[in-house]
Amino acid sequence: MSTVKVPPIKSQGIKTKLVPWIREALDWDGKGTWVEPFMGTGVVGFNVAPKQALFCDTNPHLITFYQAVKKHSITPPIAKAYLEEEGKHMKEMGGEHYYRIRERFNNKNDPLDFLFLNRSCFNGMIRFNGKGKFNVPWGHKSNRFAKAYITKIINQIRWVQELMDNSDWRFEVCSFESAIHRASANDFIYCDPPYIDRHTDYYNGWEEEQEKRLFVTLRASDAKFLLSTWHSNKYRENPYIADLWSEFRVLTKDHFYHVGASERNRNSVKEALIANYVTHAEEFQGADRSMSDHLISNTHVGA
C-alpha cells in the first residue's frame, strides 16, 4: 500500500509523511495483533491496516470518537449533517460559536463536538488543562467548514470506518503498561509516545519517569516493537537515546515538522525509530550503527 491517508482527527506532529519510512522498518507477518499504546491520531496503524488491532490511549476523547465510528453512531452522513449545521453557525458568529461548542464539549464530551473543535481550533492542537478541559483557542477561520473541507473530513471518516468494518479493531482507554503487557510474541507493538524534553500537548504530560517506565516495559516484552522518538535537532540531542535506548537498533531520518505559529519555530528534527529486531528499512547511521550488533538477549533478530 503506497498511498498514505490522513485520519479524521489531526494533531500537531502527525506522522503522515513518516508513515512510508515506518512501514518500511516493520518486520511483522500480520498474523497477530497490532498494539498501539499511544494511538493519538491513529495515522500509522490505520495506514498499516492490520486485521487485528488494539488501539489504546489515555485520552478518552480520542478513544470515544473512534469507538463511535466503529459502532456507526458516527457515520459519514451523520458527521456531514452535523458539520454543515455547526459550520453554518460559526460562519455567522465566528469565535462566539466556537467557544459555545467548546463549552458544550467540556460539559458533555460529545465526540462530534470533539471533531468540530479539532478541525477548527488554533493550529490543529489537541490540548487539555489540568482539569481535563479542552482549552485550545479558536483558529480564526469563520468559514472553516466550507463544502470542500467537510467533504474531505467525511471521506476520512468513511475510509476509517471501512477499515473497521473489515477488521477486528478494539479501542480502549488504558495505560501503556496495560497495552504492552497484553502483547504476545506473535503481536507487534508500535509506540509513538510524547517526545521527551520537547513541547507536547499530551493528555497527561510526559516526563523522565514515564520514559523510563516505557523502556522497562518494552524491554520485558516478548513482542517485537518499534518506537518513534526524536534523535536531535540543530540545538541539542535527545539524551535518552544514549542513556536508555542505545541497546536497541536506532534508525534516523531528517524530518521537518510544520508546527508552531511562527516560522522561526518550525525547524527540522532528526527522527529516530528504535527497534528490538534487525530492521530492513535502510542503513543505520553514524554512532547509532555501532550499537546495531549488540542487541539485548530478548530481542528478535532477523525473522
Side-chain angles (χ1 to χ4, degrees), residues 207-218:
E207 303 293 342
E208 180 178 5
E209 188 268 336
Q210 287 99 326
E211 186 88 358
K212 289 181 176 179
R213 278 169 38 210
L214 177 60
F215 167 77
V216 170
T217 308
L218 284 174

PDB file of all heavy atoms in Angstrom, residues 207-218:
ATOM      1  N   GLU A 207       7.126  12.826  31.198  1.00  0.00           N
ATOM      2  CA  GLU A 207       8.369  13.219  31.834  1.00  0.00           C
ATOM      3  C   GLU A 207       9.331  12.035  31.882  1.00  0.00           C
ATOM      4  O   GLU A 207       9.036  10.951  31.394  1.00  0.00           O
ATOM      5  CB  GLU A 207       8.098  13.745  33.259  1.00  0.00           C
ATOM      6  CG  GLU A 207       7.121  14.915  33.337  1.00  0.00           C
ATOM      7  CD  GLU A 207       7.647  16.182  32.704  1.00  0.00           C
ATOM      8  OE1 GLU A 207       8.889  16.265  32.508  1.00  0.00           O
ATOM      9  OE2 GLU A 207       6.834  17.080  32.401  1.00  0.00           O
ATOM     10  N   GLU A 208      10.477  12.243  32.512  1.00  0.00           N
ATOM     11  CA  GLU A 208      11.525  11.216  32.568  1.00  0.00           C
ATOM     12  C   GLU A 208      11.028   9.918  33.190  1.00  0.00           C
ATOM     13  O   GLU A 208      11.365   8.824  32.719  1.00  0.00           O
ATOM     14  CB  GLU A 208      12.712  11.751  33.367  1.00  0.00           C
ATOM     15  CG  GLU A 208      13.861  10.759  33.483  1.00  0.00           C
ATOM     16  CD  GLU A 208      15.047  11.328  34.237  1.00  0.00           C
ATOM     17  OE1 GLU A 208      14.944  12.467  34.752  1.00  0.00           O
ATOM     18  OE2 GLU A 208      16.082  10.650  34.308  1.00  0.00           O
ATOM     19  N   GLU A 209      10.214  10.024  34.223  1.00  0.00           N
ATOM     20  CA  GLU A 209       9.733   8.821  34.903  1.00  0.00           C
ATOM     21  C   GLU A 209       8.926   7.944  33.957  1.00  0.00           C
ATOM     22  O   GLU A 209       9.081   6.716  33.934  1.00  0.00           O
ATOM     23  CB  GLU A 209       8.899   9.236  36.118  1.00  0.00           C
ATOM     24  CG  GLU A 209       8.502   8.079  37.038  1.00  0.00           C
ATOM     25  CD  GLU A 209       7.149   7.483  36.681  1.00  0.00           C
ATOM     26  OE1 GLU A 209       6.327   8.198  36.059  1.00  0.00           O
ATOM     27  OE2 GLU A 209       6.919   6.302  37.000  1.00  0.00           O
ATOM     28  N   GLN A 210       8.060   8.559  33.129  1.00  0.00           N
ATOM     29  CA  GLN A 210       7.270   7.788  32.167  1.00  0.00           C
ATOM     30  C   GLN A 210       8.153   7.178  31.080  1.00  0.00           C
ATOM     31  O   GLN A 210       7.935   6.049  30.652  1.00  0.00           O
ATOM     32  CB  GLN A 210       6.191   8.658  31.521  1.00  0.00           C
ATOM     33  CG  GLN A 210       5.030   9.002  32.443  1.00  0.00           C
ATOM     34  CD  GLN A 210       5.173  10.378  33.033  1.00  0.00           C
ATOM     35  OE1 GLN A 210       6.283  10.832  33.299  1.00  0.00           O
ATOM     36  NE2 GLN A 210       4.058  11.048  33.250  1.00  0.00           N
ATOM     37  N   GLU A 211       9.165   7.929  30.636  1.00  0.00           N
ATOM     38  CA  GLU A 211      10.072   7.409  29.608  1.00  0.00           C
ATOM     39  C   GLU A 211      10.803   6.167  30.115  1.00  0.00           C
ATOM     40  O   GLU A 211      10.949   5.168  29.394  1.00  0.00           O
ATOM     41  CB  GLU A 211      11.074   8.488  29.204  1.00  0.00           C
ATOM     42  CG  GLU A 211      11.965   8.110  28.035  1.00  0.00           C
ATOM     43  CD  GLU A 211      11.381   8.441  26.676  1.00  0.00           C
ATOM     44  OE1 GLU A 211      10.233   8.941  26.610  1.00  0.00           O
ATOM     45  OE2 GLU A 211      12.066   8.195  25.665  1.00  0.00           O
ATOM     46  N   LYS A 212      11.239   6.205  31.355  1.00  0.00           N
ATOM     47  CA  LYS A 212      11.948   5.056  31.935  1.00  0.00           C
ATOM     48  C   LYS A 212      11.013   3.867  32.118  1.00  0.00           C
ATOM     49  O   LYS A 212      11.406   2.717  31.880  1.00  0.00           O
ATOM     50  CB  LYS A 212      12.588   5.447  33.265  1.00  0.00           C
ATOM     51  CG  LYS A 212      13.784   6.378  33.111  1.00  0.00           C
ATOM     52  CD  LYS A 212      14.402   6.725  34.453  1.00  0.00           C
ATOM     53  CE  LYS A 212      15.654   7.579  34.269  1.00  0.00           C
ATOM     54  NZ  LYS A 212      16.273   7.955  35.566  1.00  0.00           N
ATOM     55  N   ARG A 213       9.775   4.132  32.529  1.00  0.00           N
ATOM     56  CA  ARG A 213       8.804   3.045  32.670  1.00  0.00           C
ATOM     57  C   ARG A 213       8.506   2.407  31.325  1.00  0.00           C
ATOM     58  O   ARG A 213       8.355   1.181  31.209  1.00  0.00           O
ATOM     59  CB  ARG A 213       7.515   3.564  33.305  1.00  0.00           C
ATOM     60  CG  ARG A 213       7.569   3.654  34.820  1.00  0.00           C
ATOM     61  CD  ARG A 213       6.401   4.416  35.399  1.00  0.00           C
ATOM     62  NE  ARG A 213       5.154   4.172  34.713  1.00  0.00           N
ATOM     63  CZ  ARG A 213       4.174   5.064  34.614  1.00  0.00           C
ATOM     64  NH1 ARG A 213       4.320   6.277  35.123  1.00  0.00           N
ATOM     65  NH2 ARG A 213       3.055   4.762  33.986  1.00  0.00           N
ATOM     66  N   LEU A 214       8.424   3.218  30.278  1.00  0.00           N
ATOM     67  CA  LEU A 214       8.185   2.684  28.942  1.00  0.00           C
ATOM     68  C   LEU A 214       9.343   1.795  28.512  1.00  0.00           C
ATOM     69  O   LEU A 214       9.139   0.705  27.958  1.00  0.00           O
ATOM     70  CB  LEU A 214       7.992   3.828  27.950  1.00  0.00           C
ATOM     71  CG  LEU A 214       7.792   3.429  26.482  1.00  0.00           C
ATOM     72  CD1 LEU A 214       6.563   2.549  26.316  1.00  0.00           C
ATOM     73  CD2 LEU A 214       7.685   4.670  25.600  1.00  0.00           C
ATOM     74  N   PHE A 215      10.565   2.245  28.760  1.00  0.00           N
ATOM     75  CA  PHE A 215      11.751   1.449  28.423  1.00  0.00           C
ATOM     76  C   PHE A 215      11.709   0.087  29.117  1.00  0.00           C
ATOM     77  O   PHE A 215      11.900  -0.957  28.486  1.00  0.00           O
ATOM     78  CB  PHE A 215      13.010   2.214  28.824  1.00  0.00           C
ATOM     79  CG  PHE A 215      14.260   1.384  28.821  1.00  0.00           C
ATOM     80  CD1 PHE A 215      14.896   1.049  27.636  1.00  0.00           C
ATOM     81  CD2 PHE A 215      14.793   0.915  30.014  1.00  0.00           C
ATOM     82  CE1 PHE A 215      16.043   0.270  27.628  1.00  0.00           C
ATOM     83  CE2 PHE A 215      15.950   0.138  30.022  1.00  0.00           C
ATOM     84  CZ  PHE A 215      16.569  -0.189  28.826  1.00  0.00           C
ATOM     85  N   VAL A 216      11.454   0.083  30.413  1.00  0.00           N
ATOM     86  CA  VAL A 216      11.434  -1.161  31.187  1.00  0.00           C
ATOM     87  C   VAL A 216      10.335  -2.089  30.685  1.00  0.00           C
ATOM     88  O   VAL A 216      10.543  -3.306  30.536  1.00  0.00           O
ATOM     89  CB  VAL A 216      11.243  -0.853  32.689  1.00  0.00           C
ATOM     90  CG1 VAL A 216      10.976  -2.130  33.482  1.00  0.00           C
ATOM     91  CG2 VAL A 216      12.478  -0.153  33.244  1.00  0.00           C
ATOM     92  N   THR A 217       9.171  -1.527  30.391  1.00  0.00           N
ATOM     93  CA  THR A 217       8.039  -2.343  29.957  1.00  0.00           C
ATOM     94  C   THR A 217       8.290  -2.946  28.578  1.00  0.00           C
ATOM     95  O   THR A 217       8.027  -4.135  28.347  1.00  0.00           O
ATOM     96  CB  THR A 217       6.748  -1.506  29.946  1.00  0.00           C
ATOM     97  OG1 THR A 217       6.586  -0.857  31.203  1.00  0.00           O
ATOM     98  CG2 THR A 217       5.535  -2.383  29.691  1.00  0.00           C
ATOM     99  N   LEU A 218       8.811  -2.168  27.644  1.00  0.00           N
ATOM    100  CA  LEU A 218       9.107  -2.690  26.311  1.00  0.00           C
ATOM    101  C   LEU A 218      10.239  -3.711  26.364  1.00  0.00           C
ATOM    102  O   LEU A 218      10.219  -4.724  25.661  1.00  0.00           O
ATOM    103  CB  LEU A 218       9.472  -1.546  25.367  1.00  0.00           C
ATOM    104  CG  LEU A 218       8.312  -0.687  24.856  1.00  0.00           C
ATOM    105  CD1 LEU A 218       8.848   0.494  24.058  1.00  0.00           C
ATOM    106  CD2 LEU A 218       7.347  -1.505  24.000  1.00  0.00           C
TER     107      LEU A 218
END
